[in-house]
């Protein structure tokens, strides 16, 4: 059966036309010519959304999202509450249940909308996962050529996967449709809905942030793969010269992409990784990095990809007084957050100079849990026991810096289970159990690495240098923290090294020692400890068999 017959049978698309598996060069031109929508909050719905730079097709494509969708619409992400999956899926604030009848009505209205407008759609056939043993066939169908180009960047292609047709998931992405909450059963004018029964991901409305096309299918993988005994993880992964693999868990802003992009280690992937009986493999075939405030000297691998052909820059404005066509990508102001703080950059793994063959690697020897503590009380590195790992893994803590709103003057804690809570479609104990079993079987060590503040909270203390963080990370990867003398940090009950090779001043390893006001440290550490405890109790982790450690 052809792809068009498949789509007619699955969705009822009859009056549309298709652009099937176009090259990235073709999609580049299509995006500039045809991708239209809203790019200004008070603007029309038919403005140009994609632009070339001075390099033309030999450089990146620059794309602008709807101003209400410069990141994932977490409150508008759903899974259909079919009876057969109602008890399996972890429904929560960022993965809400969608009533089956309401979803079926919404899907039919979206199909009718496309048929009536005789829509021209872009189709890309790719795979979720680089290991053919379990890669999930993924078909993107959408109105924007930019999205198809993004999917081409971000997912493996041309794998020899058996039974592809019967296991295929299809994403239908329709930004031109406007949801009506009272009619469609959703919260807003846009909805992202996962339908496990029919293997459909529906993106209806202004949810045109490129990341929706990968995070939605990643959520699907987080539902499917653990059922097969395979651990799907929101983490980066790389491999050292001794064939020693490492995985780095972390929320946005903690350094997951930066620290995995190490010229001395071969990259598996920067965001989404599978740990199976075969070892590690990337779920993707590309990277999707934050650009805001990028330090090109500190992150040369990412910076070097900026001007490569076939990459996509998202929501970075042109230089003042110039059109984007007049700008060289290397000249763009990456500190300019006037359009969005969440500026992004999609590039294929092939432009990274040191990647593992087929984006696969051995079982990890080191596991790193990353946090960016803006309270300034966590140590730069902690050595975790097996029990500690489970606790901090399900906690998934980081802290955002104080915002610009009136009255918001201190860091804001963020707890995201398994360091990717919104994308974890099953309950957190499922992933924690798999992680514990695999760590024990393969004798992996684990550290908690803090890339946040020291000497005081944000605004008083200083952000830890990338040099310090890399020194500590490299020491852990080399096994130099395995047998060092340690002490227990009071209040937070963390095991910390008394010294570390490459660190001249060991006082930096104890956060309390870096604060001038010790009483203030104790008070802030106690406050953070209580936040950990409240999160643990609120989410009922004890009922999942997780031991409280703080």
């Amino acid at each position: 059966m052809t792809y068009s017959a498949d789509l007619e049978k699955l969705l009822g698309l009859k009056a549309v036309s298709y652009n099937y598996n176009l090259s990235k060069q073709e999609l580049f031109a299509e995006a500039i010519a045809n991708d239209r929508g809203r790019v200004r909050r008070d603007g029309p719905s038919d403005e140009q959304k994609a632009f070339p730079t001075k390099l033309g097709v030999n450089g990146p494509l620059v794309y602008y999202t709807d101003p209400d969708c410069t990141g994932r619409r977490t409150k508008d992400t759903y899974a259909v509450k079919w009876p057969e999956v109602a008890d399996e899926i972890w429904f929560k604030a960022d993965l809400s249940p969608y009533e089956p009848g309401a979803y079926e009505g919404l899907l039919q209205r979206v199909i009718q909308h496309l048929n009536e407008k005789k829509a021209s759609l872009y189709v890309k056939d790719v795979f979720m996962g680089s290991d053919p043993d379990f890669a999930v066939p993924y078909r993107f169908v959408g109105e924007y050529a930019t999205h198809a180009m993004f999917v081409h960047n971000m997912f493996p292609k041309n794998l020899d996967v058996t039974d592809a047709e019967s296991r295929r998931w299809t994403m239908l992405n329709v930004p031109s449709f406007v949801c009506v909450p009272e009619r469609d059963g959703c919260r807003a004018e846009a909805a992202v809905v996962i339908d496990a029964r029919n293997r459909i991901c529906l993106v209806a409305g202004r949810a045109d942030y490129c990341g929706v096309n990968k995070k939605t299918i990643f959520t699907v993988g987080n539902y499917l793969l653990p059922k097969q005994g395979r651990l799907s993880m929101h983490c980066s992964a790389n491999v050292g010269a001794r064939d020693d693999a490492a995985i780095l868990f972390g929320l946005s802003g903690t350094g997951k992409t930066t620290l995995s992009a190490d010229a001395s280690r071969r990259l598996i992937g920067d965001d989404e990784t599978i740990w199976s009986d075969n070892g590690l493999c990337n779920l993707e075939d590309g990277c999707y990095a934050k650009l805001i405030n990028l330090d090109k000297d500190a992150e040369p691998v990412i910076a070097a990809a900026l001007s490569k052909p076939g990459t996509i820059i998202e929501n970075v404005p042109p230089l003042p007084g110039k059109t984007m066509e007049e700008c060289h990508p290397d000249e763009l102001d990456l500190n300019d957050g006037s359009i969005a703080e969440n500026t992004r950059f999609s590039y294929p793994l092939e432009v990274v100079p040191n990647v593992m063959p087929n984006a696969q690697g051995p079982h990890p020897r080191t596991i790193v849990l990353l946090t960016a503590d803006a309270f300034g009380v966590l140590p730069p590195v902690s050595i975790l026991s097996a029990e500690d790992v489970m606790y901090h893994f399900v906690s998934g803590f980081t802290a955002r810096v104080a915002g610009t709103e009136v009255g918001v003057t201190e860091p804001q804690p963020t707890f995201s289970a398994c360091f990717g809570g919104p994308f974890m479609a099953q309950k957190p104990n499922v992933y924690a159990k798999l992680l514990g079993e695999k760590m024990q079987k393969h004798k992996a060590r684990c550290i908690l690495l803090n890339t946040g503040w020291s000497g005081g909270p944000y605004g008083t203390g200083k952000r830890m240098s990338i040099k310090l963080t890399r020194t500590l990370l490299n020491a852990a990867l080399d096994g130099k923290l395995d047998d060092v003398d340690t002490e227990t940090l009071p209040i937070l009950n963390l095991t910390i090294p008394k010294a570390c090779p490459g660190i001249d001043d060991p006082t930096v390893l104890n956060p309390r020692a870096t604060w001038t006001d010790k009483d203030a440290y104790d008070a802030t550490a106690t406050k953070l400890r209580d936040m950990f405890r409240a999160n643990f109790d609120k989410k009922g982790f004890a009922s999942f068999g997780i031991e409280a450690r703080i």
Side-chain angles (χ1 to χ4, degrees), residues 27 30-32 35 49-50 61-63 122 144-151 210 312:
L27 290 169
E30 289 281 326
I32 295 165
D35 287 359
K49 293 180 73 71
L61 181 73
V62 182
Y63 169 77
Y122 298 91
Y144 287 169
T146 300
H147 287 167
M149 184 173 168
F150 175 86
V151 167
C210 285
I312 301 170

Side-chain angles (χ1 to χ4, degrees), residues 162-173:
T162 60
D163 223 11
E165 298 305 320
S166 65
R167 298 190 299 110
R168 188 186 308 282
W169 277 73
T170 301
M171 172 174 285
L172 182 63
N173 191 317

Side-chain angles (χ1 to χ4, degrees), residues 96-371:
S96 301
Y98 212 104
E99 290 304 315
Y103 161 72
E104 290 176 316
L106 172 62
L107 179 62
Q108 288 309 308
R109 281 185 283 275
V110 173
I111 299 300
Q112 182 181 0
H113 167 79
L114 291 172
N115 282 330
E116 286 179 351
K117 69 180 292 191
K118 295 186 165 87
S120 177
L121 301 175
Y122 298 91
V123 180
K124 263 289 173 186
D125 279 339
V126 292
F127 295 90
M128 176 175 58
S130 56
D131 188 333
D133 279 1
F134 56 85
V136 178
Y138 168 30
R139 173 170 286 161
F140 170 84
V141 183
E143 293 184 295
Y144 287 169
T146 300
H147 287 167
M149 184 173 168
F150 175 86
V151 167
H152 184 105
N153 268 355
M154 298 306 300
F155 290 94
K157 297 151 282 286
N158 304 317
L159 297 181
D160 185 13
V161 173
T162 60
D163 223 11
E165 298 305 320
S166 65
R167 298 190 299 110
R168 188 186 308 282
W169 277 73
T170 301
M171 172 174 285
L172 182 63
N173 191 317
V174 189
S176 68
F177 184 86
V178 179
C179 296
V180 179
E182 297 79 10
R183 178 195 68 192
D184 297 322
C186 49
R187 188 192 69 90
E189 64 178 14
V192 180
V193 190
I194 295 170
D195 170 6
R197 174 182 285 181
N198 299 295
R199 299 191 300 277
I200 295 170
C201 297
L202 174 65
V203 182
R206 289 170 171 160
D208 61 1
Y209 170 66
C210 285
V212 170
N213 300 294
K214 85 179 194 104
K215 287 302 187 185
T216 306
I217 201 70
F218 179 46
T219 306
V220 169
N222 285 335
Y223 171 72
L224 297 175
L225 295 167
K227 292 158 73 77
Q228 306 164 9
R230 298 173 170 118
L231 177 59
S232 51
M233 305 174 290
H234 185 223
C235 71
S236 57
N238 59 25
V239 181
R242 300 183 302 277
D243 210 30
D244 55 316
I247 53 178
L248 295 86
F249 290 96
L251 301 175
S252 179
T254 59
K256 182 162 50 71
T257 297
T258 299
L259 292 171
S260 63
D262 185 334
S264 68
R265 297 176 65 84
R266 292 168 292 171
L267 184 69
I268 294 175
D270 80 322
D271 195 41
E272 294 162 4
T273 310
I274 307 302
W275 190 353
S276 74
D277 290 342
N278 297 336
L280 298 175
C281 89
N282 197 343
L283 194 75
E284 305 177 288
D285 194 29
C287 299
Y288 190 44
K290 289 192 78 167
L291 277 181
I292 195 70
N293 302 326
L294 179 79
D295 184 334
K296 294 183 179 182
D297 293 329
E299 304 185 49
V301 173
I302 298 173
L306 267 175
S307 59
K308 299 287 187 182
T311 61
I312 301 170
I313 295 174
E314 194 169 16
N315 285 330
V316 174
L319 294 172
K322 290 188 175 183
T323 65
M324 186 56 73
E325 292 92 333
E326 296 172 319
C327 298
H328 191 286
D330 291 340
E331 299 171 344
L332 295 175
D333 182 0
L334 302 183
N335 299 318
D336 190 337
S338 59
I339 293 177
E341 283 293 314
N342 187 33
T343 54
R344 289 275 177 173
F345 175 41
S346 164
Y347 55 98
L349 277 178
E350 65 192 34
V351 308
V352 179
N354 202 15
V355 177
M356 286 293 289
N358 302 315
Q360 298 179 44
H363 297 285
R365 182 72 185 90
T366 306
I367 295 170
V368 181
L369 307 185
L370 290 165
T371 183

